[in-house]
Amino acid sequence: MVREEVAESTRTLKWKCVESRVDSKRLYYGRFILSPLMKGQADTIGIAMRRALLGEIEGTCITRAKSENVLHEYSTIVGIEESVHEILINLKEIVLRSNLYGVTDASIYVRGPKYITAQDIISPPSVEIVDMTQHIANLIEPIDFSIELQIKRDRGYRMKSTNESYDGSYPIDTVSMPVRNANHSIHSYNNENEKQEILFLEIWTNGSLTPKEALYEASRDLIDLLIPFLFLHAEEEDINFEENENRFTLPFFSFKDRFTTRKKNKKGIPLKCIFIDQSELSSRTYNCLKRYNIHTLLDLLSHSQEDLMKIENFRIEDVKQILYSLQKNFAINLPKKKF
């Protein structure tokens, strides 16, 4: 049936969600198709998308826990069934959803007897707990239980180091990978004596985002990585060959070089084609702007300094860094307030 629909479509690439389900609060599934593709294109896209889905998407995790009167990670506490180590493992399994950048704090303050779950975590509004029923510990005696938590948005897997344990604070292994698994498969067919392909993508997530959201995030991350190559056709500088060493080098283009070339070029490159990730901004400042949907120089120039200070976790130092970059590369400034 899918093949018949594709055969009737035009050469324009189209994607479609052919299956979507929620198996549990922490397991979402989605199946998507992209077609029609030329021979070999499905594998190229499928491999890149799978790697981006599994390694590039950011997730939010509890990275550290701190509690007073705890001698070491493997000690036990009177009145609690679990050891400190078991509690840390349970905290590691909690799935969070957020748009925060950097680190934020959360805590648990309860009195036993009580069965402690993720619902007892006191977290900022920017952090959402996906499964409130996740078990943390069981207090079997009337004791006070307090623990401070550190939450961070990151990507990939980071193993804790024993050297990072200090002052009753213990690191937790973090698995900041919202996508549990991703597969791709290819269906080939003949269409008017031309071999074409359909790409199937299967995505499983932990519930912190839907498969459709994961597909969007992975696609955007891939585009961001490839953006620098979009400027290659706009540059007229030749490749320098070094015959003696039998090698060649590509010229390095800075953000300022691109703007200078744009001014000399009568046609010019539109401001919407100059992306902020090509500037000299720090990764922290760049990510804050990106989360505020500021992707190009045109987007940035449509905001004032006052607008930027309203961005979550944005600091005055970040604004100064942006102003310095704009002044250095373009000899322009952002207005303090919008007119």
Side-chain angles (χ1 to χ4, degrees):
M1 182 177 179
V2 171
R3 178 176 170 177
E4 292 175 357
E5 292 179 2
V6 172
E8 295 174 359
S9 67
T10 64
R11 184 67 186 90
T12 304
L13 286 177
K14 294 182 179 180
W15 75 274
K16 182 180 180 181
C17 179
V18 294
E19 186 178 357
S20 178
R21 67 172 185 264
V22 179
D23 294 331
S24 67
K25 290 182 178 179
R26 296 195 292 169
L27 184 59
Y28 287 32
Y29 172 79
R31 189 164 178 251
F32 307 87
I33 63 170
L34 179 67
S35 64
L37 296 164
M38 302 291 287
K39 184 180 179 181
Q41 289 181 340
D43 209 28
T44 301
I45 299 173
I47 293 173
M49 285 299 300
R50 185 176 185 274
R51 291 182 67 90
L53 285 163
L54 294 174
E56 297 295 327
I57 301 178
E58 294 182 341
T60 305
C61 296
I62 298 174
T63 58
R64 184 175 289 275
K66 180 179 180 180
S67 183
E68 297 180 356
N69 302 323
V70 176
L71 297 178
H72 55 81
E73 180 181 339
Y74 297 96
S75 62
T76 57
I77 303 175
V78 178
I80 304 179
E81 279 190 357
E82 295 82 2
S83 66
V84 174
H85 179 67
E86 290 172 326
I87 294 174
L88 294 177
I89 292 177
N90 292 336
L91 291 172
K92 174 184 173 182
E93 296 297 322
I94 294 176
V95 178
L96 303 174
R97 178 188 178 101
S98 79
N99 291 319
L100 67 87
Y101 180 80
V103 178
T104 189
D105 296 323
S107 59
I108 302 174
Y109 297 103
V110 296
R111 181 169 178 80
K114 183 175 177 59
Y115 187 81
I116 305 174
T117 64
Q119 187 175 4
D120 297 300
I121 297 177
I122 304 171
S123 59
S126 59
V127 178
E128 176 188 348
I129 301 171
V130 172
D131 185 6
M132 293 288 191
T133 63
Q134 171 63 42
H135 172 66
I136 296 177
N138 186 21
L139 306 184
I140 56 179
E141 294 184 11
I143 63 171
D144 292 325
F145 178 84
S146 65
I147 187 169
E148 297 177 5
L149 306 174
Q150 185 183 85
I151 297 174
K152 184 179 181 181
R153 184 178 175 87
D154 203 348
R155 67 175 186 173
Y157 174 77
R158 297 190 184 278
M159 184 177 294
K160 66 181 181 180
S161 171
T162 54
N163 297 329
E164 296 179 2
S165 303
Y166 55 86
D167 192 26
S169 175
Y170 298 95
I172 300 174
D173 289 340
T174 58
V175 184
S176 305
M177 300 166 64
V179 177
R180 287 188 170 187
N181 194 15
N183 289 327
H184 83 277
S185 57
I186 301 168
H187 173 70
S188 301
Y189 65 98
N190 292 320
N191 183 23
E192 298 179 355
N193 298 323
E194 181 184 9
K195 197 155 190 176
Q196 294 186 341
E197 298 177 338
I198 305 173
L199 172 64
F200 290 85
L201 277 171
E202 290 184 291
I203 304 172
W204 292 262
T205 69
N206 64 0
S208 63
L209 77 174
T210 65
K212 183 178 178 181
E213 290 172 330
L215 190 62
Y216 170 76
E217 289 289 335
S219 302
R220 192 176 65 176
D221 289 339
L222 278 178
I223 291 171
D224 287 345
L225 289 172
L226 295 173
I227 278 174
F229 297 105
L230 297 179
F231 290 96
L232 292 179
H233 75 282
E235 302 292 345
E236 298 177 355
E237 309 214 19
D238 297 325
I239 296 175
N240 298 321
F241 288 90
E242 299 179 11
E243 297 179 356
N244 295 335
E245 300 181 13
N246 295 320
R247 63 180 184 179
F248 67 90
T249 57
L250 285 171
F252 175 76
F253 303 124
S254 68
F255 199 41
K256 186 175 182 179
D257 294 334
R258 291 192 183 92
F259 187 68
T260 303
T261 304
R262 187 183 69 83
K263 289 193 296 184
K264 292 179 180 179
N265 188 351
K266 292 182 179 180
K267 294 182 179 179
I269 303 174
L271 294 180
K272 65 181 181 181
C273 293
I274 303 178
F275 294 85
I276 60 171
D277 60 345
Q278 302 303 307
S279 66
E280 300 169 355
L281 301 177
S282 66
S283 58
R284 182 189 186 283
T285 305
Y286 163 70
N287 282 309
C288 284
L289 292 174
K290 182 179 173 183
R291 296 186 200 288
Y292 201 64
N293 290 323
I294 298 177
H295 301 283
T296 66
L297 185 60
L298 184 63
D299 296 335
L300 182 59
L301 295 179
S302 65
H303 292 78
S304 65
Q305 298 180 37
E306 187 179 49
D307 293 333
L308 296 181
M309 287 304 299
K310 294 178 182 178
I311 300 177
E312 186 178 1
N313 298 318
F314 219 65
R315 307 171 303 183
I316 187 65
E317 290 82 2
D318 301 319
V319 176
K320 290 180 179 179
Q321 183 183 135
I322 292 172
L323 295 177
Y324 174 77
S325 179
L326 290 175
Q327 182 65 36
K328 176 184 175 183
N329 297 317
F330 308 106
I332 56 176
N333 282 313
L334 289 179
K336 290 187 177 180
K337 294 184 178 180
K338 269 193 174 181
F339 293 102

